[in-house]
Amino acid sequence: MLSKNQIKLIKTLAQKKFRSQHGLFTVEGVKGIIEFVNSSFQLQHIYTTQPIFDVKIDNFTIISESDLKKISQLRNPNTAVGVFKIPKKASIDTTNLIVALDDVRDPGNLGTIIRLCDWFGIKDLVCSNNTVDCYNSKVVQATTGSLTKVNVIYVDLENFLSKYTSEIYGTFMDGETIYNSELPEYGILVMGNEGNGISQKVQDLVTKRIAIPRFGDNFTESLNVATATAICLSEFKRKTI
């Protein structure tokens, strides 16, 4: 049975300030929880309506369906809620291709981009401090486990880029078509905010402006940032084969 204090604590983790304060976040659903249990993330506790985990877990509590609804952030709770510790900030490997996000705000976009980084072997995803929190429950759900394999770091993006010595690529409508560009095995690929693109201060630090050409006759202004990231990463990686 869950105590009122436990319910209160877990519910507060829906907000970033309390995740930061307690150093904890939640993962929902058996499959997602197992992904995190089998990773380097440290489990604090699992609350589940059924003892159905096929991995050895000692710190879990069987709870009722009604208690699960109280602590879940989903409309339709999925069997279990796991509480994990937020890891300490890891170092960034600047010898590989890095993706940097300039104020991406949508949890679904960030979750998809984390999955893309996992798929294309990008180890480090650098985010501006105003980018949505990767431990937001919607982001965690959208990554489908890929958050365990990608190092997501929040930084003062302008300061970070100003100290970087290799090429910094940014996507712009007036850039050189990515299909004609010489793309290296390492560097930084900057992707911008959903509505405003790359901010002016970050634009000033970009050394190579690239573009995804539009082939249709419609008047679509831009691509979704996650879709654009997929196209860019595919082309960067294709050039290294």
Side-chain angles (χ1 to χ4, degrees), residues 6 25 37 53 76 86-87 112 125 129 163-164 174 196:
Q6 287 173 313
F25 71 102
V37 166
F53 291 90
N76 299 304
I86 294 175
T112 300
L125 175 61
N129 287 320
K163 296 178 180 177
Y164 189 71
D174 62 350
N196 302 316

Side-chain angles (χ1 to χ4, degrees), residues 104-210:
V104 169
R105 301 298 181 91
D106 182 80
N109 282 335
L110 178 57
T112 300
I113 290 170
I114 291 172
R115 289 181 65 188
L116 288 167
C117 287
D118 182 18
W119 180 265
F120 286 104
I122 306 299
K123 299 301 181 185
D124 294 309
L125 175 61
V126 176
C127 300
S128 67
N129 287 320
N130 288 328
T131 292
V132 61
D133 182 22
C134 67
Y135 299 110
N136 174 303
S137 64
K138 292 181 180 179
V139 177
V140 175
Q141 290 291 119
T143 69
T144 62
S146 289
L147 184 56
T148 65
K149 302 166 188 173
V150 179
N151 182 29
V152 184
I153 316 100
Y154 288 80
V155 299
D156 179 325
L157 189 58
E158 294 166 36
N159 183 57
F160 174 76
L161 295 176
S162 69
K163 296 178 180 177
Y164 189 71
T165 56
S166 297
E167 298 286 11
I168 300 172
Y169 291 79
T171 51
F172 301 90
M173 296 299 290
D174 62 350
E176 177 187 22
T177 173
I178 192 170
Y179 304 122
N180 294 335
S181 302
E182 291 187 16
L183 304 174
E185 292 187 24
Y186 62 91
I188 295 179
L189 171 64
V190 180
M191 306 302 296
N193 172 270
E194 290 88 347
N196 302 316
I198 298 173
S199 63
Q200 187 58 57
K201 289 183 178 179
V202 172
Q203 283 189 40
D204 293 341
L205 298 167
V206 168
T207 57
K208 295 286 185 180
R209 298 169 68 97
I210 56 176

Side-chain angles (χ1 to χ4, degrees), residues 44-81:
Q44 188 204 56
H45 207 85
I46 293 174
Y47 301 91
T48 178
T49 58
Q50 301 174 41
I52 57 176
F53 291 90
D54 57 0
V55 293
K56 182 175 174 54
I57 299 173
D58 296 322
N59 42 340
F60 73 92
T61 299
I62 303 297
I63 62 173
S64 66
E65 292 282 353
S66 61
D67 277 344
L68 181 65
K69 289 179 180 179
K70 291 176 184 177
I71 62 174
S72 173
Q73 296 177 43
L74 301 176
R75 285 187 178 180
N76 299 304
N78 188 0
T79 307
V81 174

